């Protein structure tokens, strides 16, 4: 793929970065991302990826826009209330870029992920529940696809970059769903919190699509989104985990 003059102009501020250059930009333009969840994390992730020139996004969500979403799901406006999130987000993407979008009006689960994951170069998970996160991680391990996963609750954020094939994977961190899993609809969340985590998700995703070795695969990044203090933890691989061949 040869970059057009318009593409060189549009993406010039990132092309001049040594880690991007023309080759990296070409990788982004040909990249295919499967994005799970079009909410607080999914909205800014989608806009960040398409803004950087990612060529194709598949959006997966079965939810509709509600008034209570608008303070943090920044791709939506009041006119979108009641509409499918994937449709509203696809329109927001079309207004900002030439990325192609596939809309999947469904909740990601073990069944539909078998097909959805296959055509992706990278999977990004911004879902808000452990069942979906486990299913996404399992599908990525099975089909050897890299995964960037993020979560926010209250003033806490976490990110995990899972290498193709896992080892370690999300289940190495959480063998089962925690008994008292925190959610933003019960714990609350500020828009800055989701922007902090989604910004790192975009950064890691772009690096992964360009094949950069700076992606911290196998690490958990935890952040206190009040103090701004982050810590990185190397995840151990559980010997009895699915990523050792049990899937």
């Amino acid at each position: 793929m040869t970059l057009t003059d318009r593409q060189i102009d549009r993406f010039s501020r990132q092309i001049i970065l040594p880690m991007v250059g023309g080759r990296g930009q070409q990788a982004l333009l040909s990249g295919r991302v499967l994005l799970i969840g079009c909410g607080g994390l999914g909205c800014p992730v989608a806009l960040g990826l398409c803004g950087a020139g990612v060529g194709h996004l598949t959006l997966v969500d079965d939810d509709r826009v509600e008034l209570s979403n608008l303070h943090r799901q920044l791709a939506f406006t009041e006119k979108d209330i009641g509409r499918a999130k994937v449709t509203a987000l696809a329109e927001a993407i079309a207004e900002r870029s030439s990325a192609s979008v596939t809309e999947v009006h469904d909740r990601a689960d073990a069944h539909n992920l078998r097909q959805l994951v296959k055509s992706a170069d990278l999977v990004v998970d911004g879902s808000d529940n452990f069942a979906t996160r486990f299913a996404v991680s399992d599908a990525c391990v099975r089909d050897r696809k890299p995964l960037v996963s993020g979560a926010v609750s209250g003033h806490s954020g976490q990110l995990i970059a899972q290498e193709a094939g896992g080892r370690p994977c999300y289940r190495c961190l959480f063998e089962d769903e925690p008994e008292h899993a925190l959610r933003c609809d019960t714990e609350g969340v500020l828009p800055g919190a989701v922007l902090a985590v989604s910004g790192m998700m975009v950064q890691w995703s772009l690096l992964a699509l360009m094949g950069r070795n700076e992606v911290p695969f196998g690490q958990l990044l935890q952040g206190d989104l009040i103090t701004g203090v982050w810590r990185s933890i190397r995840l151990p691989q559980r010997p009895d985990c699915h990523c050792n061949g049990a899937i």
Side-chain angles (χ1 to χ4, degrees):
M1 175 190 297
T2 301
L3 298 177
T4 66
D5 290 343
R6 184 174 180 82
Q7 288 171 331
I8 293 173
D9 189 18
R10 176 162 188 158
F11 304 114
S12 60
R13 297 303 185 271
Q14 61 192 41
I15 290 175
I16 62 176
L17 290 169
M19 67 167 49
V20 180
R23 183 173 297 180
Q25 190 61 54
Q26 290 170 341
L28 296 178
L29 289 166
S30 62
R32 301 179 64 86
V33 174
L34 173 63
L35 178 60
I36 309 299
C38 298
L41 294 174
C43 279
V45 167
L47 298 183
L49 293 179
C50 75
V54 172
H56 183 88
L57 286 86
T58 297
L59 309 177
V60 185
D61 201 309
D62 66 344
D63 203 3
R64 293 184 176 273
V65 179
E66 300 177 1
L67 180 61
S68 62
N69 299 150
L70 301 186
H71 84 287
R72 68 193 185 282
Q73 299 180 18
L74 302 181
F76 307 138
T77 66
E78 288 198 14
K79 69 180 181 181
D80 294 316
I81 293 173
R83 303 181 68 207
K85 287 186 177 181
V86 291
T87 299
L89 183 53
E91 291 180 4
I93 291 170
E95 292 173 354
R96 294 164 169 81
S97 79
S98 59
S100 60
V101 177
T102 299
E103 300 178 25
V104 179
H105 297 253
D106 202 356
R107 180 179 290 268
D109 58 27
H111 175 72
N112 58 24
L113 283 167
R114 289 183 177 275
Q115 293 302 317
L116 293 171
V117 166
K118 292 184 184 300
S119 60
D121 298 313
L122 172 72
V123 180
V124 181
D125 185 5
S127 62
D128 62 358
N129 65 89
F130 276 88
T132 300
R133 293 173 194 148
F134 284 139
V136 172
S137 175
D138 290 348
C140 289
V141 170
R142 182 180 57 246
D143 285 300
R144 300 191 61 80
K145 301 290 185 177
L147 166 66
V148 173
S149 178
V152 177
S153 180
H155 304 302
S156 300
Q158 74 172 30
L159 297 98
I160 299 173
Q162 177 179 304
E163 200 164 7
R167 301 183 181 180
C169 72
Y170 195 80
R171 287 188 184 273
C172 290
L173 176 62
F174 296 105
E175 184 174 0
D176 295 300
E177 179 174 349
E179 185 176 351
H180 301 292
L182 302 178
R183 294 169 53 100
C184 68
D185 57 355
T186 57
E187 298 299 312
V189 66
L190 288 169
V194 295
L195 290 175
V197 173
S198 62
M200 289 302 299
M201 292 171 71
V202 171
Q203 194 82 337
W204 289 3
S205 297
L206 297 177
L207 293 174
L209 288 169
M210 292 188 294
R212 301 291 307 185
N213 59 15
E214 294 89 351
V215 184
F217 287 119
Q219 295 189 39
L220 167 68
L221 187 63
Q222 290 183 318
D224 181 324
L225 302 175
I226 292 294
T227 64
V229 174
W230 293 82
R231 64 171 181 163
S232 180
I233 304 169
R234 187 72 185 177
L235 294 180
Q237 182 182 350
R238 288 195 300 109
D240 59 342
C241 183
H242 288 282
C243 65
N244 278 320
I247 294 179

